[in-house]
Amino acid sequence: MLMNVPTVLTRLPSPTAATNILVICAITLIGPSCDGVSGPDNNPPRLRNIADMSIAAGVTREVDITAVDVDGDALTLSIVGNPGFLSLQDITQTGDTATATCVIAPQVAHAGTAVGRIQVTDGRGGEHSTSFTVEAIAPESGNWRASPEFGDMVFAVGSQRATITDISFVFLSWPCGGVTRDGGAETSNPDGWPISRGRFTIETSYSGTGLTMTVAGRFDSDEAASGTWTADSYGTICSGEWQAVRDVGGGGYSPSLSLWMSPDYGQVDGVLGHSWRRNGTVTFEIDNGPDGSVDYQRTGTANSEGNVNFRDYEQGAPFTVAEGDIVRMYDDVTVVEYYAEYLTLDYVDLANDILSGSAREGTELDVRVFNPAYPFPGGPSLTVVADANDSWSADFGGIIDIVADSEGWVSTQGWPGKTTIGWRLPLAGT
């Protein structure tokens, strides 16, 4: 008897990075009652399942293929779903069993999602197929950062994702070989250090310092790597392990901070950190006295995008920031200091679409407005400079209508620190 077997499709979420290859596993089984043969005298062949796997791009793996036909029919093995890196070799049959070797050899160019499927047929309408998953690992290009015990290490993967183009070290009061080292060193390689089979080794010496650094590693995923480091400092060997992740956005590591103010609140009510090491610990401090002592301190953890926020109404630990105070953020590698600037937003003229306030003479400001017709982030901006009277004014007449529910911000232009006033109408007194 022939039976119609329903097809079951499973939709999986798309992978978040192009280098993870997740292949959907689907097995088609055709039993004696649904093997497509008109007579009852044929048993379809059976393939042994192929296990899912994860391998680095550039690595070749061989998997044994076995199919059995109890009728002893001549079997044909073939690839019916090929992502471009599968091949069958050494196909033979002895008695009722056929064997072959499936060669799996993904390259960096094959990064993505693919499905491989092997099929066996007996020439009499019987068939069986099996699919398997392959996760091919290739590193994303851009900067990668680790924090070994000596301080900080950053290496860059080239655009072709096949070499490392440069590596830098920052030493933080690190003792080795009778020398305590501070500072940084960077080495570039025009030809690149090769990434082969997902692994790499870098050795670099620094003339006049008595130091040779050797870094060996492997890519555990498209955005994570691990390995070991060895330092030869004047004949003394120091060593350890490291784990690295790709830097924020795949680009450079450039932490910054901004003081966030509300004009109605009348003072700084938040300090926001940007582009810090993802999931790393960041310390926030305020020094508001001439003695140089720390008057306020709190720690937080950067999120998966490298951002960390400190609000004065959180954790029962309010703070204030005045003009000239030193606001500081730091992790175990980078310190950002910023002298708080004087800035106010005093009035919004709805009739003439003008914002005005105070800032020290010569301070350059970025002023932005959003309304329902131009919501964030699509509103226009103006650059204005405070005058000799410590006043500033931004005239948006003819550019955008400032209406009852408009909002925006006014920000100083410093880097890596700045002061920002976020506002939303109605303001007190407007």
Side-chain angles (χ1 to χ4, degrees), residues 342-406:
Y342 173 63
L343 178 64
T344 68
L345 171 62
D346 300 325
Y347 192 72
V348 179
D349 183 344
L350 293 178
N352 297 296
D353 302 319
I354 297 174
L355 289 82
S356 58
S358 301
R360 296 307 177 199
E361 179 183 0
T363 302
E364 187 175 289
L365 304 173
D366 173 41
V367 187
R368 295 178 181 261
V369 175
F370 315 107
N371 67 16
Y374 297 94
F376 177 84
S381 66
L382 291 176
T383 300
V384 300
V385 178
D387 61 23
N389 297 316
D390 292 340
S391 297
W392 64 267
S393 178
D395 186 352
F396 285 88
I399 301 175
I400 188 173
D401 291 329
I402 301 178
V403 296
D405 54 354
S406 290

Side-chain angles (χ1 to χ4, degrees), residues 1-14:
M1 179 177 72
L2 298 179
M3 295 187 297
N4 291 323
V5 179
T7 299
V8 179
L9 300 179
T10 301
R11 183 177 296 276
L12 298 182
S14 300

Side-chain angles (χ1 to χ4, degrees), residues 32-70:
S33 61
C34 55
D35 60 4
V37 180
S38 58
D41 58 345
N42 184 57
N43 294 293
R46 308 288 294 195
L47 268 169
R48 183 181 299 166
N49 289 343
I50 302 173
D52 299 340
M53 65 193 71
S54 178
I55 59 177
V59 171
T60 298
R61 181 172 296 178
E62 296 183 351
V63 175
D64 292 334
I65 306 296
T66 301
V68 176
D69 188 290
V70 297

Side-chain angles (χ1 to χ4, degrees), residues 226-284:
S226 60
T228 60
W229 60 271
T230 302
D232 183 337
S233 179
Y234 293 107
T236 298
I237 303 299
C238 304
S239 62
E241 298 180 349
W242 57 266
Q243 292 183 325
V245 295
R246 195 164 61 93
D247 256 349
V248 177
Y253 177 64
S254 302
S256 66
L257 66 86
S258 60
L259 308 184
W260 192 265
M261 302 173 64
S262 166
D264 290 341
Y265 190 53
Q267 65 183 46
V268 172
D269 62 1
V271 178
L272 314 182
H274 309 281
S275 297
W276 292 85
R277 188 169 63 249
R278 294 180 296 182
N279 304 312
T281 299
V282 179
T283 301
F284 157 53

Side-chain angles (χ1 to χ4, degrees), residues 40 159 200 250 410:
S159 59
F200 64 90
V410 182

Side-chain angles (χ1 to χ4, degrees), residues 73-429:
D73 296 330
L75 301 179
T76 299
L77 291 167
S78 60
I79 300 172
V80 293
N82 194 340
F85 52 82
L86 305 180
S87 62
L88 288 180
Q89 298 179 0
D90 303 326
I91 302 174
T92 61
Q93 181 169 347
T94 302
D96 61 1
T97 302
T99 60
T101 299
C102 181
V103 180
I104 304 167
Q107 303 300 311
V108 171
H110 295 123
T113 300
V115 177
R117 187 159 62 97
I118 308 298
Q119 183 182 68
V120 60
T121 60
D122 63 5
R124 299 172 59 200
E127 64 179 41
H128 181 210
S129 64
T130 185
S131 299
F132 56 96
T133 71
V134 178
E135 182 185 10
I137 298 171
E140 289 283 358
S141 60
N143 287 349
W144 292 62
R145 177 171 294 270
S147 298
E149 65 181 73
F150 58 74
D152 189 58
M153 179 177 76
V154 177
F155 57 88
V157 175
S159 59
Q160 300 301 311
R161 300 159 65 183
T163 61
I164 293 174
T165 58
D166 58 76
I167 188 168
S168 63
F169 305 95
V170 175
F171 304 111
L172 300 174
S173 301
W174 172 60
C176 180
V179 178
T180 298
R181 299 180 186 271
D182 284 284
E186 182 174 359
T187 303
S188 297
N189 184 344
D191 298 323
W193 292 279
I195 301 170
S196 177
R197 303 173 65 87
R199 300 174 181 271
F200 64 90
T201 300
I202 299 171
E203 181 177 306
T204 181
S205 298
Y206 299 97
S207 177
T209 67
L211 179 65
T212 297
M213 296 292 296
T214 302
V215 176
R218 55 171 288 177
F219 291 96
D220 304 306
S221 74
D222 62 320
E223 293 195 349
S226 60
T228 60
W229 60 271
T230 302
D232 183 337
S233 179
Y234 293 107
T236 298
I237 303 299
C238 304
S239 62
E241 298 180 349
W242 57 266
Q243 292 183 325
V245 295
R246 195 164 61 93
D247 256 349
V248 177
Y253 177 64
S254 302
S256 66
L257 66 86
S258 60
L259 308 184
W260 192 265
M261 302 173 64
S262 166
D264 290 341
Y265 190 53
Q267 65 183 46
V268 172
D269 62 1
V271 178
L272 314 182
H274 309 281
S275 297
W276 292 85
R277 188 169 63 249
R278 294 180 296 182
N279 304 312
T281 299
V282 179
T283 301
F284 157 53
E285 295 179 347
I286 300 173
D287 176 5
N288 54 24
D291 58 359
S293 63
V294 174
D295 298 286
Y296 182 90
Q297 185 181 80
R298 207 158 89 201
T299 60
T301 302
N303 63 19
S304 60
E305 297 179 346
N307 298 326
V308 56
N309 299 337
F310 298 93
R311 308 282 188 179
D312 71 342
Y313 48 79
E314 294 175 341
Q315 301 180 4
F319 58 83
T320 59
V321 179
E323 180 184 9
D325 288 353
I326 299 175
V327 181
R328 182 183 301 112
M329 277 190 186
Y330 59 90
D331 60 11
D332 54 357
V333 176
T334 305
V335 178
V336 173
E337 286 190 343
Y338 169 60
Y339 286 85
E341 299 172 88
Y342 173 63
L343 178 64
T344 68
L345 171 62
D346 300 325
Y347 192 72
V348 179
D349 183 344
L350 293 178
N352 297 296
D353 302 319
I354 297 174
L355 289 82
S356 58
S358 301
R360 296 307 177 199
E361 179 183 0
T363 302
E364 187 175 289
L365 304 173
D366 173 41
V367 187
R368 295 178 181 261
V369 175
F370 315 107
N371 67 16
Y374 297 94
F376 177 84
S381 66
L382 291 176
T383 300
V384 300
V385 178
D387 61 23
N389 297 316
D390 292 340
S391 297
W392 64 267
S393 178
D395 186 352
F396 285 88
I399 301 175
I400 188 173
D401 291 329
I402 301 178
V403 296
D405 54 354
S406 290
E407 59 183 316
W409 70 68
V410 182
S411 178
T412 62
Q413 295 295 288
W415 185 265
K418 63 181 180 181
T419 296
T420 300
I421 293 177
W423 58 272
R424 182 190 298 270
L425 293 182
L427 297 180

